[in-house]
Amino acid sequence: MFDMYSIKYETRLEFDSQHFLENINNSTEDANSFIDFYYMKTVYEAMADWMKENKNYRNKIVCALLGQDFDDVTGMDKANNIRVIWYEVSGKDTATSIDIFTRLNIGKIPLTNAELIKALLLRRGNFSASEASMRQLQISTEWNLIEQRLQDDSFWYFLCRTSWPFKYDNRIEFVFDLMKGRSADSEFYFTFNAFSKELEELSGNPVCTTEQAKIECIWQEVKRIFQTFEEWYEDRTLYHYIGFLIEYGTDINELMRKSLEMNKTDFLTDYIRGNKLKGLMRGVKLSDLSYGDKEVKQVLLLFNILTVLQSNKSDMRFPFSKYKKEKWDIEHISSRTDKRINDDNQRLEWIYDMFEFLVGSTDAKDIAAYVGSLKKVDSKKDELVLINRIETLYSNSQRGRISDAEFDECFDAVQKYYGEDKLEDKDNIRNLTLLDAQTNRGYGNAFFPVKRKWIISNDSQGIFVPIVTKNVFLKYYTKKGNNLMVWDNTDAEDYINVMEQTLSEYLKQE
């Protein structure tokens, strides 16, 4: 095979990049001597492995890169496969390389703060000649380990609240934003500029007498913050309390300051439980909370978290990642009688749900067979009447003749059959729980037994169901056994009593 071209980087004259690239197949030792070589080698090996596994694509890629198609008139290559943009920087230009790079990229896809900070920290001139390559490689490796950890959603969503104003490709930028106090009103490069300014100001610090000392000072602070996050995450109790507090707006920097100032016991008992949690719950009276009150979701989330923590022998954790990504919200346990279904598609979905629940199928033959079996049992007459009404409703809907009055009458009959009319004040928190949007199915007033069936099905398949929601629909809180298909006043009272007991420490008014 012949050599088609060679590459030599003029900005890396102290390292023979041309020799390295020409011998990249057997340059493992050289790859560890310089951070750029390390990544060149890593990329080359990844590409080589891919080529071996995808041989059919090799010729196509080569043709795409090297193929030419010259225009007879202009003489230009219409294939336009590879183009190199080259900027000549005048010797009169006294700006720094970062200033030049920023100016040249204005209007293009912007670099993130994290990418610019990485370039700022890993500049070769920051380190002594004897340590440069090794220290660059070490910081780069630590950087990648932090990023890898933050890309774990269970760790990330424990730290990042739903209302956080920024989205990240490189999640380590979250740490940098916290360090510099970036807000939603800050300009785009606020954090990068703050780090640049800090490097300048560190020149006056007697401890930071060299560029390398400045970098070490900043990087050690980054690692300290991240290690604090890991300590919180690994501690099951702190994980739950801090995850809850962060979601409801507690400043992470304040949490870090207090965790450094106090011993672990005082931090948990006095600050988190005695100060922050009681502060969030101050003035809350459970019996007064109703659907639409902003405190309801906060109370239900804390109830779930405390329920998980009550089992000291279990290693179960509340998954903040699933809670935040799947958009769990407030739903009525027993459906609201005043909320009607007016959309035809949702009405048809409701009919299918009724068949699925009552018969176990929406197939016409299965429904007919089930109806036939009901006719033979006297005690099933009420259910037979119910299914016949739903069948009539379905037939009419297929002919496009379903009326509001007809649907509402059938809806009311099913509601009465399942006791959905037996609960008073359905907007009170004693009739509210967390349900995900998929289970809620959009129309929002499926009956208790239908929701119960969905919850059991989801739980049996390993789909996340908040522990309190599961307990509600399995009636764990009900003291005296009753009809599993109905959520009535007794169930609701038992539910809110357990909630009061579990949250009592934080509801006490001083």
Side-chain angles (χ1 to χ4, degrees):
M1 183 175 179
F2 59 91
D3 293 331
M4 300 183 66
Y5 59 86
S6 63
I7 298 176
K8 181 176 182 178
Y9 293 97
E10 293 183 1
T11 56
R12 300 172 177 84
L13 295 179
E14 68 271 39
F15 292 95
D16 192 343
S17 55
Q18 182 177 347
H19 174 77
F20 174 80
L21 290 170
E22 290 172 352
N23 297 275
I24 197 167
N25 277 321
N26 52 8
S27 56
T28 302
E29 185 175 342
D30 289 340
N32 293 328
S33 67
F34 182 39
I35 190 169
D36 287 3
F37 289 174
Y38 171 80
Y39 284 110
M40 289 176 185
K41 178 74 170 177
T42 301
V43 171
Y44 173 80
E45 289 176 344
M47 292 173 61
D49 289 342
W50 189 89
M51 288 292 187
K52 288 178 183 178
E53 297 175 3
N54 299 273
K55 295 180 180 179
N56 294 335
Y57 290 99
R58 285 189 298 188
N59 289 338
K60 293 180 180 180
I61 291 173
V62 170
C63 289
L65 293 175
L66 303 181
Q68 297 177 329
D69 182 13
F70 289 101
D71 187 285
D72 293 336
V73 178
T74 64
M76 295 184 65
D77 181 8
K78 293 186 294 182
N80 198 30
N81 296 316
I82 302 175
R83 293 292 182 269
V84 176
I85 300 175
W86 182 270
Y87 291 101
E88 289 284 352
V89 179
S90 170
K92 297 179 181 179
D93 196 332
T94 58
T96 67
S97 58
I98 291 177
D99 292 334
I100 296 169
F101 185 86
T102 302
R103 186 178 70 244
L104 292 175
N105 282 275
I106 290 176
K108 301 178 177 65
I109 298 174
L111 289 175
T112 65
N113 281 271
E115 290 167 333
L116 290 172
I117 292 168
K118 189 172 188 179
L120 189 68
L121 298 181
L122 293 181
R123 284 183 302 185
R124 186 167 182 79
N126 291 336
F127 306 95
S128 63
S130 60
E131 297 182 22
S133 298
M134 185 59 67
R135 195 67 189 108
Q136 283 176 313
L137 182 59
Q138 185 176 354
I139 292 176
S140 183
T141 301
E142 291 170 348
W143 178 295
N144 290 338
L145 290 173
I146 292 173
E147 178 64 31
Q148 184 179 21
R149 186 71 164 126
L150 289 169
Q151 287 295 334
D152 177 356
D153 281 350
S154 64
F155 186 74
W156 172 249
Y157 285 101
F158 149 68
L159 289 170
C160 190
R161 66 176 181 265
T162 305
S163 60
W164 188 252
F166 308 111
K167 305 296 180 185
Y168 304 103
D169 292 324
N170 303 302
R171 289 178 174 176
I172 195 173
E173 191 169 322
F174 172 73
V175 179
F176 300 142
D177 283 348
L178 288 176
M179 291 174 69
K180 297 307 175 186
R182 183 185 180 191
S183 69
D185 298 327
S186 301
E187 56 93 12
F188 186 80
Y189 286 122
F190 171 86
T191 301
F192 167 65
N193 291 330
F195 272 97
S196 298
K197 184 178 181 181
E198 181 181 3
L199 275 175
E200 294 175 7
E201 293 174 345
L202 281 172
S203 299
N205 189 323
V207 178
C208 302
T209 56
T210 65
E211 291 300 315
Q212 181 165 339
K214 296 177 189 177
I215 299 302
E216 298 293 350
C217 179
I218 291 174
W219 187 243
Q220 289 304 316
E221 179 65 10
V222 173
K223 291 203 299 181
R224 183 193 66 77
I225 291 172
F226 178 73
Q227 287 164 0
T228 300
F229 293 161
E230 285 210 303
E231 288 172 6
W232 291 348
Y233 179 82
E234 295 301 331
D235 186 296
R236 182 170 175 265
T237 303
L238 288 177
Y239 163 83
H240 285 97
Y241 283 130
I242 290 177
F244 173 79
L245 290 174
I246 289 174
E247 178 64 8
Y248 281 95
T250 298
D251 180 48
I252 301 181
N253 286 316
E254 179 188 344
L255 287 167
M256 287 191 290
R257 285 194 298 271
K258 292 297 182 179
S259 67
L260 288 174
E261 296 170 3
M262 309 171 76
N263 63 51
K264 185 175 179 179
T265 301
D266 291 343
F267 176 61
L268 174 61
T269 305
D270 297 341
Y271 178 70
I272 289 181
R273 294 171 60 180
N275 183 320
K276 300 304 294 185
L277 284 176
K278 284 186 177 181
L280 273 175
M281 301 300 289
R282 185 172 292 117
V284 172
K285 186 176 181 181
L286 291 189
S287 58
D288 290 342
L289 292 181
S290 292
Y291 186 82
D293 292 342
K294 62 182 180 64
E295 297 88 357
V296 171
K297 193 172 185 180
Q298 173 181 311
V299 166
L300 291 176
L301 178 58
L302 183 57
F303 185 25
N304 273 276
I305 286 171
L306 295 177
T307 301
V308 171
L309 281 173
Q310 281 178 341
S311 178
N312 294 324
K313 296 181 180 179
S314 170
D315 60 356
M316 180 174 65
R317 288 177 168 231
F318 184 87
F320 290 104
S321 59
K322 295 184 183 295
Y323 173 76
K324 294 176 185 180
K325 290 169 68 177
E326 295 173 9
K327 298 180 180 178
W328 288 74
D329 213 338
I330 309 306
E331 183 53 40
H332 294 80
I333 300 169
S334 178
S335 63
R336 290 173 57 180
T337 57
D338 62 332
K339 186 178 181 183
R340 294 295 172 169
I341 304 172
N342 299 314
D343 180 82
D344 287 344
N345 290 328
Q346 291 186 353
R347 285 176 171 179
L348 189 59
E349 192 172 0
W350 180 86
I351 292 170
Y352 285 140
D353 279 337
M354 291 300 100
F355 282 141
E356 186 67 43
F357 177 72
L358 291 165
V359 181
S361 171
T362 57
D363 183 81
K365 292 182 179 179
D366 293 335
I367 295 171
Y370 187 73
V371 169
S373 67
L374 291 179
K375 291 178 179 178
K376 300 175 183 178
V377 183
D378 290 339
S379 60
K380 295 288 186 177
K381 286 182 179 180
D382 290 342
E383 186 175 344
L384 178 62
V385 171
L386 200 66
I387 292 181
N388 283 333
R389 294 191 70 164
I390 297 171
E391 273 193 298
T392 301
L393 195 65
Y394 175 71
S395 297
N396 289 342
S397 72
Q398 297 305 292
R399 299 186 185 96
R401 296 191 315 208
I402 184 170
S403 68
D404 292 346
E406 185 182 10
F407 181 85
D408 288 347
E409 286 175 9
C410 184
F411 184 89
D412 289 340
V414 177
Q415 180 175 252
K416 186 174 182 179
Y417 180 81
Y418 283 113
E420 296 283 318
D421 58 345
K422 293 184 177 179
L423 182 66
E424 302 166 357
D425 192 7
K426 290 193 174 184
D427 278 345
N428 188 268
I429 195 171
R430 67 193 190 129
N431 187 45
L432 303 176
T433 191
L434 293 172
L435 270 181
D436 67 290
Q438 184 176 1
T439 299
N440 190 25
R441 297 286 289 278
Y443 54 78
N445 52 355
F447 298 139
F448 178 82
V450 177
K451 291 177 182 176
R452 184 176 187 273
K453 183 177 180 179
W454 289 340
I455 294 298
I456 293 173
S457 175
N458 285 352
D459 190 51
S460 66
Q461 296 176 59
I463 298 173
F464 167 62
V465 178
I467 188 169
V468 169
T469 302
K470 182 169 67 173
N471 289 348
V472 161
F473 284 97
L474 295 182
K475 292 207 171 186
Y476 285 179
Y477 302 123
T478 302
K479 293 181 179 180
K480 186 177 181 180
N482 59 5
N483 188 351
L484 291 175
M485 297 296 106
V486 177
W487 182 261
D488 59 22
N489 287 307
T490 300
D491 300 308
E493 284 302 312
D494 288 343
Y495 173 48
I496 198 171
N497 286 339
V498 174
M499 196 185 303
E500 288 268 11
Q501 182 179 355
T502 304
L503 298 172
S504 60
E505 176 183 348
Y506 310 107
L507 296 174
K508 293 176 182 176
Q509 302 300 311
E510 298 178 356

